[in-house]
Amino acid sequence: MTFFFPTGSLRAFPSRLYPDYKSTVKRAPTKPLVTIPHTLSELTGPVFGHDAAQPGDEDLTRQHQGEPIGERIIVHGRVLDEDARPVPHTLVEIWQANACGRYVHVVDQHPAPLDPNFTGAGRTVTDQDGTYKFITVRPGAYPWGNHHNAWRPSHIHFSLFGHAFVSRLVTQMYFPGDPLFPFDPIFNSVTDEAARNRMVSAFDLDATIPGWAIAFRFDIVLRGRNQTPMER
Amino acid sequence: MAAITPSQTVGPYFAFGLAPNRKYDWKDTFGSDLVTPDAAGERIRIEGRVLDGDGAPIDDCMIEIWQANAQGRYASPADMRPRPNTAFRGFGRTATDADGRYGFDTIKPGRVPGPDGEPQAPHVLLAVFARGMLRQSYTRVYFADEAANAQDAILALVPAERRATLLAAKSAREGRIVYTFDIRMQGDAETVFFEI
Ligand SMILES: [Fe+2]
């Protein structure tokens, strides 16, 4: 299958400069980006076998001696392309704060406890039908320095590859109904409401495990459409 | 049709998950050394600093590169040409240090076909992710000592006065070939980024 990657789809992305998110001001390019045709360099990308993730890497609650504190959850979904076709065998990496809203990263000095039983990193490779599944705990909201009384809504960071280097995506998954949404410039940097809501997972009663964990579904759509021979 | 999922910043805390580099209790998926023992080609190092609009180092930046092997073939099913049986993958990832420095040990890529079928000058794709970047920015590392740069169809699309920002300067250090490629997000010498 040959894929193409319409740049028009990128209108769903945030602008690089979004002054409400203050760190963008000194870090966004100011000169015009140069538009170039997609060559083999852009149309290719790394391939991952199932060796890219080890069994157990997708369960963030079993990486240490004991179980982490917090609300155990299942996060699952499908990785699709713009034709809604599954993206099989692609690497999905996640990282997140613990249930108290604290990251293990040395730079995070938020006065909330670290959990010795939780690192907060996971990875998996999608199945033939593009599905993935993680078991983790629900991350807490955390404060940050962007503006007075700024708090990030609960989120899980996602990193994906897809069919080519141009389909590479780093995003964040949010939880439905978070009261912090209206106040978060990172979430609102996606100015189109429908596009913004595609970053919000859905509570998934069918995927819950009774007596054990509730579930959230997060489908991810990466750049890429199939080019039929006729379109070529 | 399905509408794409928007990008969000990698944030300040990606390193423990995406680039632990033995500083965190998690395994690296990728690293900054792309060289495999069986890879043919000239061993090189690509390194530089990432700087913000004040010229200050960006110390929480993730850099990824994607490149062809020395024969100009990509380790990807989308490159359908035959390729030598080598473990060389052509993908690398690293995080900048406190001085905004990054570096990759790799091999010099060969030439790959361009938009018109003519070979492109050797180059490496590079993506920049960081706190304060709501989406990655793509650029290309070209090699300043390559005569083929003058005929490269992509470089020709870049305004002449900005092309130098894409040329990595060659030097030697302790017997190794080093190409220096600084990334300036803003300013007079702002690196050229591509809309792809
Ligand atoms: Fe975060």
Side-chain angles (χ1 to χ4, degrees):
Chain A
M1 221 178 267
T2 306
F3 293 94
F4 73 110
F5 302 87
T7 50
S9 306
L10 294 171
R11 281 193 287 270
F13 277 20
S15 301
R16 288 180 172 80
L17 176 64
Y18 189 74
D20 286 356
Y21 176 19
K22 294 204 171 71
S23 302
T24 65
V25 173
K26 296 287 185 185
R27 295 185 169 197
T30 58
K31 298 191 194 301
L33 269 56
V34 176
T35 301
I36 58 170
H38 290 166
T39 73
L40 203 55
S41 305
E42 289 76 25
L43 297 171
T44 50
V47 178
F48 307 101
H50 280 274
D51 60 331
Q54 303 302 315
D57 284 356
E58 77 292 347
D59 188 344
L60 286 71
T61 68
R62 291 174 179 273
Q63 294 173 351
H64 299 275
Q65 288 267 306
E67 278 213 87
I69 300 292
E71 197 182 331
R72 188 188 299 117
I73 58 171
I74 295 160
V75 174
H76 75 121
R78 294 179 82 197
V79 181
L80 306 167
D81 64 21
E82 293 178 79
D83 291 322
R85 284 193 183 84
V87 181
H89 315 308
T90 198
L91 181 66
V92 183
E93 298 167 279
I94 65 169
W95 70 104
Q96 64 166 89
N98 68 21
C100 305
R102 176 85 186 262
Y103 286 93
V104 297
H105 196 288
V106 291
V107 167
D108 187 1
Q109 296 300 317
H110 170 208
L114 285 166
D115 184 341
N117 291 314
F118 192 73
T119 301
R123 64 170 74 97
T124 192
V125 174
T126 58
D127 287 344
Q128 188 60 39
D129 59 355
T131 61
Y132 73 88
K133 180 164 115 175
F134 291 102
I135 297 165
T136 184
V137 295
R138 186 173 173 136
Y142 61 84
W144 61 310
N146 188 69
H147 55 273
H148 174 66
N149 201 17
W151 294 80
R152 292 302 324 282
S154 293
H155 60 275
I156 298 177
H157 296 267
F158 271 71
S159 165
L160 300 105
F161 284 83
H163 296 304
F165 200 47
V166 293
S167 60
R168 182 90 178 82
L169 177 72
V170 171
T171 188
Q172 300 181 23
M173 181 201 101
Y174 298 91
F175 291 86
D178 197 311
L180 291 168
F181 284 159
F183 314 105
D184 181 41
I186 294 179
F187 181 68
N188 290 294
S189 68
V190 177
T191 51
D192 177 68
E193 188 183 5
R196 209 159 52 231
N197 288 333
R198 294 199 292 274
M199 303 186 294
V200 182
S201 59
F203 172 63
D204 186 351
L205 186 66
D206 290 341
T208 60
I209 299 180
W212 195 72
I214 61 169
F216 294 89
R217 184 179 178 101
F218 184 51
D219 291 340
I220 299 155
V221 178
L222 302 179
R223 292 177 74 192
R225 297 193 62 196
N226 182 30
Q227 190 161 33
T228 64
M230 224 145 61
E231 286 170 319
R232 255 188 253 170
Chain B
M1 279 285 285
I4 63 170
T5 305
S7 174
Q8 293 273 268
T9 179
V10 76
Y13 304 131
F14 65 85
F16 77 88
L18 296 186
N21 196 23
R22 295 181 293 280
K23 293 189 195 93
Y24 292 98
D25 183 20
W26 185 236
K27 302 148 278 186
D28 280 278
T29 330
F30 311 106
S32 60
D33 186 355
L34 286 72
V35 178
T36 55
D38 62 350
E42 186 183 18
R43 264 62 171 169
I44 61 169
R45 182 171 174 80
I46 298 171
E47 63 178 30
R49 299 180 78 197
V50 188
L51 303 168
D52 73 8
D54 292 329
I58 301 185
D59 62 2
D60 51 7
C61 187
M62 180 171 80
I63 303 286
E64 289 181 348
I65 59 170
W66 171 240
Q67 66 165 88
N69 65 19
Q71 293 79 25
R73 305 284 197 275
Y74 284 101
S76 163
D79 187 344
M80 286 172 251
R81 301 167 300 157
R83 78 179 148 262
N85 186 17
T86 157
F88 184 77
R89 306 272 291 279
F91 182 79
R93 173 191 285 171
T94 193
T96 54
D97 68 12
D99 297 321
R101 289 183 198 285
Y102 75 93
F104 293 98
D105 294 300
T106 185
I107 56 163
K108 190 165 174 195
R111 302 179 71 173
V112 302
D116 48 7
E118 289 295 306
Q120 302 185 55
H123 63 274
V124 171
L125 255 65
L126 187 150
V128 186
F129 306 76
R131 171 178 66 83
M133 298 187 195
L134 287 158
R135 54 202 275 190
Q136 68 261 34
S137 289
Y138 290 103
T139 185
R140 282 178 168 216
V141 181
Y142 283 88
F143 302 91
D145 56 325
E146 271 289 340
N149 292 338
Q151 280 83 44
D152 185 80
I154 301 299
L155 275 178
L157 297 172
V158 176
E161 70 280 9
R162 299 190 64 200
R163 272 176 216 154
T165 69
L166 300 180
L167 304 180
K170 186 179 189 177
S171 62
R173 191 172 65 225
E174 290 158 12
R176 293 200 303 170
I177 299 163
V178 177
Y179 283 95
T180 302
F181 187 80
D182 290 336
I183 299 162
R184 292 181 179 81
M185 297 310 301
Q186 299 180 354
D188 289 342
E190 179 178 317
T191 300
V192 168
F193 297 101
F194 293 107
E195 178 78 304
I196 53 174

